[in-house]
Structure formats: C-alpha cells, structure tokens
Amino acid sequence: MTDGWRMRTRMIHDGAERTPLGETSEALFLTSGFVYERAEDAEARFAERDPGYQYSRVANPTVDAFERRMALLEGAEDAAATATGMAAVHAALMSQLEAGDRVVSARLLFGSCHWIVTELLPRFGVEVVLVDGTDLDAWARALAEPTRLVFFETPANPTLELVDIEAVSALAHRAGAKVVVDNVFATPVLQKPLALGADMVVYSATKHIDGQGRCLGGVVLADAATRKHVLQPFLKNTGPSLSPFNAWVLSKGLETLELRVREHVAGAERVAAFLERHPAVKEVLYPGSPSFPQHDLARRQMAAGGNLVAFRVHGGRSEAFAVMNALRLVKLSNNLGDTRSLVTHPATTTHSRLPEAERTELGIGADLLRLSVGLEDPEDLADDLDRALDAGVPAALRAA
Ligand SMILES: *Cc1c(COP(=O)(O)O)cnc(C)c1O
C-alpha cells in the first residue's frame, strides 16, 4: 500500500480498504452482524477456515481499520479496540492475570485505574504492590520477587509525575513480568513505550485520538500472539466491543492527530511559561518545562511535554475554586485532550475518593489545578487565565 511514506501521510491513507464503490472517505460498516450465503460458509467461519466476519462483538471491518491504523502508529504488531479506555485497561490486566499472581503498580493513577488495581484485582486473589513511580529504588525493591504484571501511566494524572519506562521495563522483565503502560497523557505521537521496552500499551481513545469531545473509545496495543491468544478470547467472550460508528470517528481523529498534538504542545508550552511568571501561581508542573523535577527524563522518553499542565495557586480550595469560576474561555471539565481547554480540580473530583492524607502525600492538594490545553489561540488562553488568576487569588496571598 503506502509503505515508505511518513507517519502523518500513512495516518490519512492507510488502514481502511476501499470497497468496489471507490468511496473517498472510509466506509462505515454500522452493522451488528453478517449473513452467510450457505450453512457451510457459517460452519467454515466459526471453524476459522474462512476469515470472513460473523458478528461485530467479535470483529467488524470499520473497527479493524481503526485497529490497523493504531498498530501502525504505535509500531505494534497488533491492536484491539474497546468501547472505552477503562475497558482497555480492564482487558489488558484481567486477560493476563489469575489468582495468586503478583502485580506491581505505580501508586499515582487515573481514578478508575486505581480502583481496578486496588479494589478489583485483590478480590480475585491478585497481590498488588504500589510504589512511588518516580523512585527507581522502590521499583527495584518491589520487583525483587517474581511478578506477573507491571502497570503504570506516564505522565501520571494529575501531577504529571513520570516513570522511567526503559529502566522499569528492564527491572520488570528480570522479575518475569510483562509491562503495561497507560500512554494517554503522552499520546502515541510523543511517546513510544513499546520501543522503550514495554510489552503492552493502552489508550483512552476518548482523549486526544478523538480529540474533539465526541465519543468514547479505547485500544490495547500488543504483539500478535498476545492479541490473538490472550486478548481476543477475553474480548470476544466478555464483549467490551467498540461501536463501528465510534471506530469510524476515531479513525478520522487519527488523520489529524499529529497536527493537533503539535498545536496542543505549542499552546501548552506558551501557557506553562505564562503561568510560571504569574504572581498568583505558586508552582507549575509541566514535563516540557526546564523547572519540572524530572525534565531530563521527559527529554529522554518524550518528544515534547504534552498538553497537560498542572499548577498550584497561592491559597487553597477557595482560591482554586474562585480561579476556576472566573474563567470564561477555559471550560470546567474532568475530560482532557479536547480541542477546548478544560480545567479540573483533582482533589474534589477525579481524586476525591482517596483519603486526604494520601492525596497530600501524592501532591494532590486543594491548591492544585489540572489544565488540558486545547487548540484555541494561546494568547486568548493566557488572557483568560490572567483575568481569572487576578480575580481568584487576593493580592495579599500572591508572591511578592
Ligand atoms: C480517561 C483516562 C482513562 C479512561 O478512559 P475512558 O475512555 O474515560 O474510559 C484511563 N487512563 C487515563 C490516564 C485517562 O486519562
């Protein structure tokens, strides 16, 4: 097909096959099932002698096209799409685990990932060890014992802490573990965990891959054997299948992903630099900024800092809320990776389930805001933030 073209080109031309009608845009096979000419054909398909389709819970041409494009982009042998990002995380973990297994995970995780690891897995007799993801000695200690799986996200929600993918993958493999990385915050454009040693990558395609706030989706990237023998039986029999309609929307998202991510990053860099200079802001956490504690690691494993910027305002919850309520352009939402800039207060929303002591230890104070920088003109974002910070943080609390 278009082998040899660069990735941005291939995201537009590869993946889908044209039907004999010659449509320009990919066809959308919005069908739950497929019919057979003869009873013998159905028999052959169920026996996997004939590769055709049977039922969209098992496979669908529009979903397949999205999976092929994702695998290509990630540099993975294969991909499995799911209805949501959480279905992808759930399938990646549950399809590989059984009672008696041991899992080592970073402790700072997206809320529902934290629930799966700390609440769900132990119910099925899986031992879970949580570590400070930034601490390589802690990983080494935890991985001194045989382990089945290692799980982490990097950058992690909401303080953007990084995990050294290459170093942790090496430690994990020595312990016999497979490494699953939630790469949502970095996007497949800015970070390639498989090339750094990870075994599986999961995405919430709801975020940058759609990137326009339209639909939910998820995807697991893996080697072909794991996809076929571990993921496929789990997915086909438990049924977290991606709707063909959503797969079609997400494939369209991939056509512009690289362009959008590049503009997201340019906006985030501008906004982070602006926030660092604002007297109402106590601290800015942005992996792309030289002030970020793990900036060297960010430069090693990410092509750029991404579009999420966390920052602390002078004061506490009431100042953080006042800033949010004074924003006119930036919307209040716990979603991220959208064309619209979105801000959230993690301590009272995404991470409210954690006990306060744990939140404090993880750096999720009441003064912390997480901003997903959208595709608006960065100068408008700076103006909106400037006005809101001035309105929300009393002069007496600001830095001199
Ligand atoms: C949003 C998100 C998920 C879950 O994805 P959904 O599509 O909302 O199910 C998982 N991990 C991270 C890091 C996320 O940001």
Side-chain angles (χ1 to χ4, degrees):
M1 297 216 304
T2 53
D3 277 346
W5 301 116
R6 289 165 185 80
M7 196 54 77
R8 195 171 124 190
T9 308
R10 299 188 71 179
M11 284 301 103
I12 293 169
H13 290 279
D14 277 9
E17 278 156 35
R18 273 198 178 83
T19 75
L21 293 174
E23 63 284 351
T24 310
S25 177
E26 297 78 1
L28 166 52
F29 294 93
L30 195 57
T31 179
S32 50
F34 299 82
V35 295
Y36 313 98
E37 284 285 322
R38 298 160 61 242
E40 288 80 356
D41 298 340
E43 181 189 34
R45 266 180 222 181
F46 273 78
E48 293 182 17
R49 288 198 305 274
D50 169 359
Y53 293 96
Q54 324 167 344
Y55 189 56
S56 288
R57 169 157 47 72
V58 182
N60 171 282
T62 309
V63 177
D64 281 359
F66 170 62
E67 291 176 343
R68 279 196 296 272
R69 223 172 238 183
M70 274 306 305
L72 181 68
L73 177 60
E74 193 71 31
E77 286 177 9
D78 211 342
T82 54
T84 65
M86 284 324 304
V89 172
H90 180 249
L93 300 180
M94 289 301 265
S95 67
Q96 297 193 81
L97 291 169
E98 58 186 46
D101 280 346
R102 184 168 187 275
V103 170
V104 178
S105 169
R107 61 183 186 171
L108 189 63
L109 294 172
F110 181 77
S112 293
C113 297
H114 191 271
W115 185 87
I116 288 184
V117 167
T118 62
E119 304 272 339
L120 187 65
L121 296 184
R123 270 196 222 164
F124 295 93
V126 174
E127 183 198 354
V128 174
V129 178
L130 296 179
V131 299
D132 172 353
T134 66
D135 182 352
L136 273 183
D137 293 333
W139 282 109
R141 279 194 302 277
L143 290 167
E145 283 176 51
T147 300
R148 173 75 64 182
L149 268 190
V150 162
F151 179 63
F152 56 86
E153 56 190 64
T154 180
N157 189 32
T159 53
L160 308 174
E161 278 183 13
L162 306 185
V163 175
D164 186 331
I165 300 171
E166 196 166 14
V168 171
S169 297
L171 289 167
H173 292 155
R174 238 171 283 154
K178 297 269 192 213
V179 177
V180 180
V181 178
D182 180 332
N183 203 37
V184 167
F185 275 38
T187 81
V189 175
L190 300 179
Q191 180 169 271
K192 305 278 189 200
L194 298 177
L196 295 165
D199 300 287
M200 238 186 217
V201 176
V202 292
Y203 289 103
S204 164
T206 315
K207 311 298 166 56
H208 311 76
I209 292 171
D210 171 35
Q212 291 152 83
R214 299 168 296 193
C215 65
L216 299 168
V219 60
V220 186
L221 290 305
D223 62 84
T226 304
R227 165 74 170 94
K228 184 164 184 210
H229 301 296
V230 180
L231 284 166
Q232 184 61 15
F234 184 88
L235 293 170
K236 138 179 165 177
N237 293 305
T238 61
S241 318
L242 180 64
S243 151
F245 182 79
N246 288 4
W248 186 86
V249 173
L250 296 170
S251 282
K252 287 282 158 211
L254 288 178
E255 294 186 1
T256 57
L257 181 66
E258 188 179 318
L259 293 178
R260 286 186 287 108
V261 167
R262 201 189 300 156
E263 288 303 312
H264 274 298
V265 167
E269 286 173 347
R270 166 76 181 94
V271 166
F274 162 79
L275 290 171
E276 281 183 345
R277 289 192 307 270
H278 201 286
V281 175
K282 190 157 84 183
E283 187 186 10
V284 175
L285 297 165
Y286 179 57
S289 164
S291 70
F292 188 69
Q294 297 170 289
H295 183 58
D296 288 345
L297 176 59
R299 291 187 58 152
R300 250 188 292 137
Q301 68 185 18
M302 300 174 75
N307 81 311
L308 286 135
V309 180
F311 62 100
R312 298 181 203 289
V313 295
H314 285 291
R317 171 190 156 123
S318 65
E319 287 73 23
F321 275 26
V323 170
M324 290 175 82
N325 292 335
L327 288 163
R328 286 191 220 151
L329 181 58
V330 177
K331 299 293 174 255
L332 277 49
S333 169
N334 46 284
N335 198 7
L336 60 98
D338 196 282
T339 50
R340 286 156 190 76
S341 290
L342 305 172
V343 71
T344 189
H345 185 252
T348 53
T349 59
T350 54
H351 292 72
S352 58
R353 209 177 56 85
L354 295 177
E356 194 179 339
E358 204 175 326
R359 272 202 305 271
T360 306
E361 205 187 317
L362 294 170
I364 311 170
D367 58 354
L368 183 79
L369 293 174
R370 187 199 74 190
L371 176 65
S372 170
V373 177
L375 295 176
E376 302 93 339
D377 189 313
E379 302 313 314
D380 288 335
L381 294 174
D383 288 350
D384 195 38
L385 287 161
D386 193 35
R387 187 181 336 101
L389 286 162
D390 285 344
V393 181
L397 285 176
R398 290 187 214 165

